[in-house]
Amino acid sequence: SEEQVERMERVILSSLNWRMHPPTALDFVHHFLALISSVSIHPSTKNKLLDLSQIQTELSVGSYFFSTQRPSVIAIASIM
C-alpha cells in the first residue's frame, strides 16, 4: 500500500541519515579553488588546475583505496 511504501522510504532515509547526495571530491575541488583564487591566481591557471583536478578525481573512482578516503582529502590531493 501507499503507507507501506512511505514507511519503507522513511526507514531507508533514516538508515542513510538523510545523506542522499553527499559532497563529492569535485565539489571540494571547486570550494578549495574558490579559496585559492580569492588570494589572486590567474583565471587560466585556475581553469587548468580545475581540469587536472577533475581528471585526478575521476581516476580515483577506479581504486578501492580511494573509496575509503574522504572526498575532501582526495580533492586536496588532486590539487597538489
Side-chain angles (χ1 to χ4, degrees):
S1 73
E2 185 177 332
E3 291 81 25
Q4 289 174 322
V5 171
E6 287 179 9
R7 189 171 343 121
M8 185 53 68
E9 285 176 345
R10 280 193 289 279
V11 166
I12 292 170
L13 288 171
S14 197
S15 297
L16 294 173
N17 293 323
W18 290 83
R19 293 187 58 185
M20 296 299 297
H21 181 61
T24 65
L26 197 54
D27 291 330
F28 281 105
V29 167
H30 285 282
H31 288 296
F32 293 149
L33 289 180
L35 291 172
I36 292 170
S37 64
S38 68
V39 174
S40 103
I41 186 172
H42 195 273
S44 65
T45 304
K46 179 184 174 188
N47 289 337
K48 187 67 173 174
L49 268 173
L50 179 59
D51 289 342
L52 293 172
S53 294
Q54 182 173 355
I55 291 167
Q56 292 289 339
T57 58
E58 289 173 357
L59 288 173
S60 73
V61 173
S63 171
Y64 172 75
F65 171 78
F66 291 110
S67 71
T68 64
Q69 304 303 307
R70 292 185 313 221
S72 59
V73 172
I74 294 170
I76 200 69
S78 74
I79 293 171
M80 297 176 98

